[in-house]
Amino acid sequence: MYGGEANAITGVCSGDSDSGLAVGVGPVGLRPQRVGGGAATSGGAGGGGVSARFPVVAGERASIMKTISNLWNGNPGNLLPLENPIQPTEHVFQDSLVIVREDEPSSIIAFTLSSSHYKEKLQAMHESKEREFKSSEFTDISEKVTLFEDQPMTGDLEETLRGPGGNHIKFQFWDGQTRFDCKSYYAEQFDALRRNCGFDEIYVHSLSRCFRWEASGGKSKSVFMKTTDDRLILKQLSKPEMDALLKFAPAYFDYISEAFFHTLPTVLAKIFGFYRIGFKNPVTNRTFKIDVLVMENLFYDRSISRIFDLKGSMRNRHVQSTGRQNEVLLDENLVEYIGESLLFIHDHAKRVLRASVWNDTLFLSKLNVMDYSLLVGIDEERRELVVGIVDFIRTFTWDKKLESWVKETAFMGSGPTIISPRQYKNRFRDSMDRYFLSPPTVHNSNFQIELQEQLQQKERRRRERQAQQHHQNYQMQRLEMLPLQEQQQMVGGRLDEELLLSARSGQEHAEE
């Protein structure tokens, strides 16, 4: 008889009804198993078959035994070997549901945060602070709750976020010869932040799987990753960014506490943690080490049709739209979009956005942070704008700022325009206020006229650059058609063949 996925063949092999031998024939071979006395049982561990009692005469019994003997005496080498479902780069631990994958660095963080050892360290930190509170005569001990209560008090979370200093937890674990490392910075504060957002349990689950993500629109060479559930984004941190973030974090916790517990409007994209992770696998000779920032994905569970990265400037802030999904456009692209189809937001939303941008830029300016952006997504299905200030973790020094500007303007024929964080703040506020319009008023009508004028000026500049480029190309083509001797005569004998090639290379670079 056949039954189950294994297509098991079962039968009673003797006249004694109290014992029998059920032989399951599965896709990977034969496996004998004992069947208890009494009525025959159904199936077996993994056999999937159904055994039944039926009369067997002597001739039939001999035939059955011969058939089983022929099957059993088959060559085991003909059986296909079982494939190990676990890849060499995957590491499974008995006491954890998280599979650590070497090509998915976020899984190292997920394993660390879910481990009992990490939780014990975190609890010990909290209990140490509780003892400090109990020793203070100004503290009402009866109001204190533990960190791992189901519903911790708001005051407890705020005190943890605003707590002085910051403790980091360093965690190391092994799988055979492979060593994994994870250092969680400001472990208590970020744990309190995630709990206040109701994100502490989902956070570990999200980090268990990720993939490398090619973020468009950015100029940095950082590696980006996104969790497979699309909730979180991981960004590689350079050493200057890491150093700045270590100094920036206490002020960030204090500021975000004002937003959480005292209704301060803000549109800063939330940071959920930053870590130093790595592994060393001597078997595969692979070594990996990286500093990463984990932040929210502003566009999670959204249907975004257009994305804009806005800095409040019209200088070199235009890209040629390709129509690709998740393409990031810039300020000039937004002005063009507004000129074609007006973008209105409700008065209340306008006031909240203005207040949030005002607060956030003041906070960042005091920390000497600039070059941040307002990331905007248009959700046409819900008819909503999704906004958040991003790229605010690095404090720019003047030498780094000048260096970046020189690189950007090397082939543009114009010098850099250096502004201070305070000037950047003011320009950013003014531009964001003008980009997003409330329902039509006299002021908005005037702004629409200004937008049209800006578009016309932009088009004139584009045509002038195009005409100049055509003229340069024409002159270069004429020069290339002449023999080298005549070319040298045309430029006063100062042009040799090597210089001519350099000029052509420079022209090509300028065109790019």
Side-chain angles (χ1 to χ4, degrees):
M1 299 178 63
Y2 295 92
E5 295 180 356
N7 295 330
I9 301 176
T10 61
V12 178
C13 300
S14 70
D16 185 357
S17 62
D18 292 334
S19 64
L21 180 65
V23 181
V25 182
V28 295
L30 305 175
R31 178 173 57 194
Q33 59 188 54
R34 299 295 302 178
V35 178
T41 58
S42 172
V50 178
S51 62
R53 185 184 302 172
F54 54 90
V56 181
V57 297
E60 291 179 345
R61 186 175 68 174
S63 177
I64 291 174
M65 293 301 295
K66 183 177 180 181
T67 301
I68 293 176
S69 177
N70 291 335
L71 289 172
W72 194 254
N73 291 332
N75 184 5
N78 294 332
L79 299 177
L80 296 177
L82 287 173
E83 294 185 2
N84 188 349
I86 305 300
Q87 300 298 321
T89 58
E90 296 178 342
H91 304 268
V92 181
F93 300 86
Q94 293 182 353
D95 57 347
S96 177
L97 297 176
V98 179
I99 298 177
V100 179
R101 297 173 170 86
E102 295 180 8
D103 55 348
E104 299 182 25
S106 65
S107 63
I108 301 177
I109 304 174
F111 180 89
T112 298
L113 300 187
S114 63
S115 68
S116 58
H117 182 70
Y118 180 88
K119 293 178 180 178
E120 290 170 0
K121 280 192 173 183
L122 201 59
Q123 182 66 31
M125 289 180 181
H126 186 72
E127 290 174 353
S128 176
K129 287 191 175 181
E130 274 193 332
R131 287 192 293 269
E132 294 178 5
F133 286 134
K134 290 178 182 179
S135 64
S136 172
E137 61 180 351
F138 301 106
T139 304
D140 185 356
I141 303 174
S142 63
E143 293 183 357
K144 298 299 170 186
V145 295
T146 62
L147 180 66
F148 297 100
E149 292 285 346
D150 290 338
Q151 292 183 346
M153 294 179 61
T154 298
D156 186 62
L157 291 176
E158 183 176 4
E159 288 172 357
T160 303
L161 273 173
R162 293 180 180 270
N167 293 316
H168 316 314
I169 296 180
K170 188 174 182 179
F171 185 68
Q172 188 176 93
F173 58 99
W174 298 74
D175 180 28
Q177 300 182 44
T178 305
R179 187 194 70 210
F180 297 90
D181 299 279
C182 179
K183 186 173 184 179
S184 175
Y185 293 92
Y186 293 96
E188 284 184 286
Q189 286 87 343
F190 278 118
D191 181 78
L193 187 154
R194 295 191 296 267
R195 287 177 179 275
N196 187 74
C197 296
F199 195 53
D200 51 318
E201 294 181 0
I202 303 176
Y203 184 70
V204 173
H205 175 73
S206 295
L207 288 174
S208 62
R209 299 301 306 269
C210 74
F211 61 94
R212 183 155 180 167
W213 177 52
E214 298 296 335
S216 62
K219 295 181 180 179
S220 69
K221 303 299 182 182
S222 299
V223 174
F224 283 86
M225 289 165 281
K226 185 185 287 188
T227 57
T228 54
D229 64 1
D230 205 41
R231 292 179 183 271
L232 300 170
I233 294 174
L234 290 81
K235 177 184 182 293
Q236 178 188 11
L237 296 173
S238 64
K239 187 179 185 306
E241 288 174 329
M242 190 66 171
D243 295 339
L245 190 53
L246 287 168
K247 299 176 182 178
F248 173 84
Y252 172 75
F253 294 133
D254 191 65
Y255 182 75
I256 208 69
S257 296
E258 290 292 328
F260 285 159
F261 309 114
H262 304 284
T263 64
L264 179 77
T266 178
V267 289
L268 286 183
K270 287 187 286 294
I271 299 174
F272 286 123
F274 61 100
Y275 310 86
R276 175 166 291 166
I277 56 178
F279 68 84
K280 184 176 182 180
N281 189 339
V283 176
T284 60
N285 200 29
R286 291 186 62 191
T287 302
F288 179 81
K289 185 178 180 180
I290 189 175
D291 295 329
V292 294
L293 170 77
V294 182
M295 53 189 169
E296 67 173 322
N297 178 14
L298 293 172
F299 303 145
Y300 168 71
D301 197 26
R302 291 281 186 169
S303 179
I304 302 298
S305 59
R306 286 181 177 83
I307 301 175
F308 296 94
D309 181 285
L310 307 175
K311 293 184 179 293
S313 172
M314 292 293 171
R315 182 185 178 88
N316 304 326
R317 298 293 296 168
H318 183 274
V319 295
Q320 186 64 40
S321 178
T322 62
R324 293 181 302 175
Q325 187 177 8
N326 297 327
E327 178 185 36
V328 179
L329 306 175
L330 306 180
D331 295 68
E332 287 190 71
N333 300 99
L334 177 66
V335 172
E336 292 177 352
Y337 178 76
I338 296 175
E340 297 171 358
S341 56
L342 294 180
L343 191 64
F344 293 124
I345 60 176
H346 294 297
D347 288 335
H348 174 71
K350 172 83 171 184
R351 290 194 297 270
V352 173
L353 178 60
R354 180 188 291 121
S356 301
V357 169
W358 184 278
N359 294 332
D360 295 341
T361 53
L362 178 62
F363 165 67
L364 296 174
S365 176
K366 289 181 178 179
L367 295 174
N368 198 32
V369 174
M370 52 192 295
D371 270 3
Y372 42 84
S373 304
L374 185 72
L375 193 62
V376 179
I378 300 178
D379 188 338
E380 293 186 350
E381 290 187 3
R382 303 184 189 180
R383 301 181 63 83
E384 294 176 346
L385 287 183
V386 184
V387 303
I389 291 181
V390 297
D391 296 336
F392 56 85
I393 62 172
R394 181 175 178 179
T395 302
F396 271 71
T397 56
W398 285 115
D399 57 336
K400 293 295 182 183
K401 191 62 186 174
L402 182 59
E403 177 185 349
S404 64
W405 263 316
V406 168
K407 289 180 179 178
E408 291 177 3
T409 59
F411 294 97
M412 298 185 59
S414 59
T417 303
I418 301 177
I419 62 175
S420 66
R422 181 181 62 82
Q423 292 171 320
Y424 188 89
K425 171 197 68 178
N426 294 334
R427 187 186 71 186
F428 190 90
R429 287 175 175 176
D430 181 64
S431 297
M432 300 308 125
D433 194 53
R434 292 159 63 86
Y435 287 161
F436 305 104
L437 308 176
S438 297
T441 63
V442 174
H443 171 73
N444 289 338
S445 298
N446 292 336
F447 178 55
Q448 187 66 18
I449 295 174
E450 294 177 8
L451 282 176
Q452 294 294 343
E453 292 177 351
Q454 290 180 10
L455 289 173
Q456 293 174 2
Q457 292 176 1
K458 178 178 176 296
E459 180 62 20
R460 285 196 297 269
R461 290 196 301 268
R462 187 188 68 81
R463 291 179 178 177
E464 290 174 357
R465 289 195 301 267
Q466 189 176 30
Q468 184 180 10
Q469 188 66 55
H470 287 165
H471 178 71
Q472 292 176 350
N473 291 340
Y474 174 72
Q475 295 294 338
M476 183 63 68
Q477 291 174 359
R478 287 188 58 195
L479 189 62
E480 290 177 345
M481 294 175 61
L482 298 176
L484 180 60
Q485 185 177 3
E486 295 185 19
Q487 293 178 16
Q488 293 173 339
Q489 293 176 355
M490 289 185 63
V491 293
R494 294 175 299 170
L495 189 65
D496 57 15
E497 185 175 2
E498 181 180 356
L499 184 58
L500 177 61
L501 293 175
S502 299
R504 293 171 182 169
S505 176
Q507 176 65 23
E508 293 174 357
H509 196 168
E511 291 176 4
E512 293 176 359

